[in-house]
Amino acid sequence: MTRPTFEIDGAAVHGIPSLYVELNRVFMPDEDWTLGESLDALDDLLYGGFGDLRGAEPVRVVWRDAEVARGALGVETTREYYRAKLERPEVYAAPPAQRALDALDAGRGETYFELVLRVFRDHRNIELVLA
C-alpha cells in the first residue's frame, strides 16, 4: 500500500508565521479554520483527526527546500521566539524559555526548525523526508 504524500515548500518559509501558512496550505486546505502558530498545535495536527490527516494512518511528508526553511527558522528566529515568550510571563513560563534561550546562545539549544523536526519525529506514522 502506498502512503499518502504531502509536500511542504521550504522556499515559502521565511519565518515562523510563514511556516504555519505553509503547513495550513498543505494539511488544512478544506478546513474553515487555520492552525495557530504553535508547536503544540502542530503536534495536535500530526495526531490526525482534522485537516487532511484523518488519523494515525501512515503518511509521507516531503519537505522540499528544507535547507531554506532551516535557515529561516535558525538561531536568530529562535532567539526572537524565546524573547517574545519572556516578554509575556503572564502567558508563558519564563524559566523554561530563559533556559532554552541560554542553551541556544551557548550553542547547545535547538533552533525552531529543529523543534519542528522533533515534533514530526514524535509521530511514528509520519515519514518525514528532507529534500
Side-chain angles (χ1 to χ4, degrees):
M1 183 171 150
T2 305
R3 290 178 175 212
T5 299
F6 298 88
E7 289 193 15
I8 298 171
D9 179 4
V13 177
H14 307 287
I16 293 172
S18 61
L19 167 67
Y20 288 93
V21 168
E22 180 61 9
L23 293 172
N24 279 299
R25 181 192 70 77
V26 172
F27 296 110
M28 304 283 287
D30 298 323
E31 296 290 340
D32 59 358
W33 58 280
T34 58
L35 189 67
E37 295 175 16
S38 159
L39 293 167
D40 289 335
L42 173 59
D43 191 44
D44 289 345
L45 170 73
L46 297 179
Y47 276 112
F50 57 90
D52 281 358
L53 297 176
R54 296 290 174 201
E57 69 182 4
V59 299
R60 185 173 201 240
V61 177
V62 178
W63 194 331
R64 304 257 180 241
D65 293 315
E67 288 305 310
V68 174
R70 183 186 300 275
L73 302 172
V75 172
E76 193 49 45
T77 297
T78 309
R79 277 191 187 110
E80 292 172 16
Y81 168 74
Y82 287 125
R83 287 180 185 141
K85 286 182 173 290
L86 290 171
E87 290 174 4
R88 299 190 60 204
E90 72 283 359
V91 176
Y92 301 105
Q98 186 63 58
R99 284 191 299 274
L101 182 59
D102 292 344
L104 187 70
D105 288 341
R108 297 184 323 269
E110 293 177 296
T111 64
Y112 200 86
F113 183 80
E114 292 164 330
L115 294 170
V116 168
L117 293 184
R118 183 162 29 114
V119 172
F120 272 93
R121 273 194 312 268
D122 287 345
H123 295 271
R124 299 195 187 283
N125 62 309
I126 298 176
E127 174 192 4
L128 180 63
V129 178
L130 302 181

